[in-house]
Amino acid sequence: MVFGHFMLPEEPLRWPRLAGALLALAGVAAICARLLDFNGIMAFWGGLGIVLGGACAAYSNVTLKARAIPLAPAMIAAWQMIFGTVPLLGVGWLVDGNPAIFIGAS
């Protein structure tokens, strides 16, 4: 909604939308309340990564809409997964080691 407010003049941020988003956020927080504890620095970085990932996806979707680029949703999702694979593999390699050792392990 924030990106849309600044990038799409025909979609200004209005109080009913903001109230709906806050209500939805409060509902998710209530459902996941026990998962919202601070469980160390890795949990913090993981949560931050999820928030930043969601913000990047929202920005890209609003940019596509602002530029009126007609792409199929499957194509958008495919490119997001393709470009997400490289950093995920890199971080996984750094944190957990060589992924090839998990192949064949049952």
Side-chain angles (χ1 to χ4, degrees):
M1 290 186 323
V2 174
F3 293 130
H5 174 73
F6 291 108
M7 296 171 67
L8 302 169
E10 68 276 2
E11 293 191 24
L13 186 60
R14 293 199 169 94
W15 285 110
R17 284 185 185 177
L18 185 59
L22 292 175
L23 181 63
L25 184 62
V28 171
I31 292 169
C32 300
R34 70 178 183 87
L35 301 174
L36 295 175
D37 294 337
F38 184 78
N39 292 320
I41 194 69
M42 292 304 285
F44 169 77
W45 287 115
L48 185 63
I50 290 170
V51 170
L52 288 175
C56 289
Y59 179 77
S60 67
N61 288 334
V62 171
T63 300
L64 287 172
K65 188 172 183 178
R67 294 183 182 175
I69 300 172
L71 290 175
M75 181 64 72
I76 296 169
W79 281 110
Q80 288 173 345
M81 288 187 277
I82 289 167
F83 284 109
T85 299
V86 174
L88 286 174
L89 284 175
V91 169
W93 192 297
L94 289 173
V95 172
D96 291 325
N98 187 351
I101 63 171
F102 296 111
I103 297 173
S106 306

